[in-house]
Amino acid sequence: MGKIKIGIVGYGNLGRGVEYAIRQNPDMELVAVFTRRQPGDISLKTSGVAVCHYDEMKQYVGKIDVMVLCGGSATDLIVQAPDVAKMFNTVDSFDTHARIPEFYSLVDAAAKPTKHVSIISVGWDPGMFSITRLYNNCILPDAKDYTFWGKGVSQGHSDAIRRVEGVKNGKQYTVPVESAVEQVRTGSNPELTTRQKHTRVCYVVAQPGAELARIESEIKNMPNYFADYDTFVNFISDEEFEKNHNTMPHGGFVIRSGFTGENRENKQLIEYSLKLDSNPEFTSSVLVAYARAAYKLANEASYGAKTVFDIAPALLSPMSNEALREQFL
Ligand code: NDP
């Protein structure tokens, strides 16, 4: 059997991550990367792979099995996913939770009539965390869900800091409150407020001469982003920022804690945890596994938009079902 031919649409953090992930999956090969920028301005980490303009994609119909969409959720994917799904099977990491139903309909309307498979909102949240929440709820109906994020960089909150006047650079870490996590792990099912679950720790490089007290106050009181949390603002130098804050770690825990038995006498706790040095590289690794599933589903003529809930685990694996039964059951 030939290799699964992959294309990447959009070459940012996820695009690079997909390129690396394909190197770890010998049943796949990267055929081309598509960008809205000048292709000549993009240098890939892999030789022998074409870099093309987004508008040249049509020429690759029949030469690429699955396009991995690596555009941003805010504005790119809502346009790109339906556009590309008319020509190719796709996977994407759309993570604007509130708009997923609308996004699903848009992509389904593009993929189904043109006989393509599009797996949407793949990654870790939405993605692996969503699967965990679903399994946990089916298995333990009498229980409570908790999701903690971090310690990790929130792109949205980091962007919000950088928009404050007088801020040259900034990064925000979401940090789960240790005592709250421990309390949940005891199975006591506490009611926790937003503030009790996470703190927000900011590292800010100020413009020379900027009023630090005003910047700190503006950040801490910013509605929707920081006002509902205990927020800590640390002013640091450019050098310290470059040295200590140039990576994108993330992770978190999904916990469901509940009871079974005649009188709910037995506590049952499920925990799924991720500790990621690189959020985009992990997300890309999930996308690549789901690209394999998209390829298999297309071969079965099971067309249209899907979410991670629709994908049987065996479809993610390069191994045969017999080998999976032997190794993992
Ligand atoms: P980036 O900002 O790095 O890239 C987004 C797009 O911006 C790229 O596809 C690229 O498109 C363009 N771009 C990238 N770098 C540059 C540059 N230097 N100059 C101009 N344009 C550039 O975003 P990420 O890759 O970090 O993340 C993409 C999305 O992934 C996020 O919006 C987030 O929603 C989602 N995500 C989902 C997760 C999940 O668990 N489901 C987890 C993590 C992220 P082009 O090449 O066409 O210019």
Side-chain angles (χ1 to χ4, degrees):
M1 199 179 84
K3 293 191 179 205
I4 304 172
K5 297 180 184 63
I6 302 289
I8 294 174
V9 180
Y11 195 68
N13 298 311
L14 286 193
R16 266 189 306 279
V18 170
E19 186 181 0
Y20 295 144
I22 289 169
R23 293 182 188 179
Q24 297 181 335
N25 287 277
D27 62 329
M28 299 189 178
E29 68 178 307
L30 179 58
V31 173
V33 172
F34 299 88
T35 178
R36 294 160 297 181
R37 285 167 281 165
Q38 285 297 325
D41 294 346
I42 307 278
S43 56
L44 304 185
K45 311 285 178 192
T46 316
S47 54
V49 173
V51 182
C52 308
H53 193 268
Y54 185 92
D55 297 335
E56 296 176 274
M57 217 179 288
K58 217 178 190 161
Q59 296 163 24
Y60 280 80
V61 168
K63 296 178 188 159
I64 286 177
D65 297 311
V66 185
M67 286 288 196
V68 184
L69 307 183
C70 298
S73 292
T75 51
D76 297 342
L77 289 173
I78 209 103
V79 178
Q80 294 180 345
D83 195 19
V84 181
K86 289 182 189 140
M87 296 181 274
F88 298 93
N89 303 308
T90 65
V91 284
D92 68 66
S93 70
F94 186 76
D95 72 353
T96 313
H97 292 255
R99 295 189 73 186
I100 288 175
E102 172 199 350
F103 184 69
Y104 176 92
S105 300
L106 273 173
V107 175
D108 195 50
K112 209 175 256 163
T114 54
K115 300 194 169 169
H116 295 111
V117 177
S118 289
I119 312 180
I120 68 155
S121 299
V122 170
W124 59 281
D125 198 356
M128 301 313 293
F129 274 14
S130 322
I131 296 174
T132 306
R133 285 188 286 256
L134 174 62
Y135 274 132
N136 294 356
N137 275 262
C138 297
I139 294 163
L140 290 180
D142 179 8
K144 218 165 141 40
D145 283 313
Y146 297 90
T147 302
F148 291 94
W149 292 276
K151 180 187 175 185
V153 174
S154 159
Q155 288 299 117
H157 289 79
S158 300
D159 287 345
I161 293 175
R162 291 193 288 265
R163 284 196 297 270
V164 172
E165 198 188 323
V167 170
K168 189 174 167 197
N169 211 346
K171 206 158 226 183
Q172 192 267 184
Y173 296 86
T174 307
V175 183
V177 175
E178 200 66 39
S179 58
V181 179
E182 286 314 315
Q183 214 185 334
V184 170
R185 284 184 178 140
T186 64
S188 63
N189 286 7
E191 289 295 335
L192 296 168
T193 63
T194 302
R195 192 180 296 275
Q196 286 169 326
K197 283 201 283 188
H198 296 96
T199 51
R200 299 204 175 274
V201 181
C202 310
Y203 291 89
V204 177
V205 181
Q207 304 278 10
E211 314 139 277
L212 303 189
R214 184 208 26 96
I215 292 176
E216 180 167 347
S217 160
E218 268 191 45
I219 293 174
K220 286 184 167 175
N221 294 306
M222 199 184 292
N224 302 322
Y225 285 90
F226 295 102
D228 295 336
Y229 297 86
D230 288 337
T231 301
F232 302 90
V233 178
N234 304 287
F235 289 98
I236 59 172
S237 65
D238 273 320
E239 294 72 32
E240 192 181 340
F241 194 90
E242 279 313 310
K243 184 165 168 253
N244 296 332
H245 302 286
N246 66 354
T247 56
M248 282 190 271
H250 220 317
F253 325 86
V254 172
I255 299 174
R256 187 159 170 87
S257 159
F259 305 92
T260 59
E262 191 177 3
N263 298 303
R264 306 174 87 223
E265 64 277 23
N266 293 314
K267 280 185 190 171
Q268 313 281 18
L269 192 122
I270 310 174
E271 177 166 347
Y272 178 84
S273 140
L274 290 173
K275 292 179 189 68
L276 311 174
D277 272 357
S278 166
N279 173 5
E281 287 179 16
F282 181 80
T283 304
S284 301
S285 300
V286 184
L287 279 165
V288 165
Y290 277 85
R292 183 180 293 113
Y295 173 76
K296 292 187 191 177
L297 285 173
N299 285 341
E300 291 172 10
S302 175
Y303 303 126
K306 321 265 176 198
T307 72
V308 291
F309 299 148
D310 305 311
I311 309 302
L315 292 173
L316 303 174
S317 175
M319 294 164 65
S320 69
N321 284 13
E322 292 75 9
L324 288 175
R325 284 194 290 274
E326 266 171 38
Q327 188 163 338
F328 297 119
L329 274 184

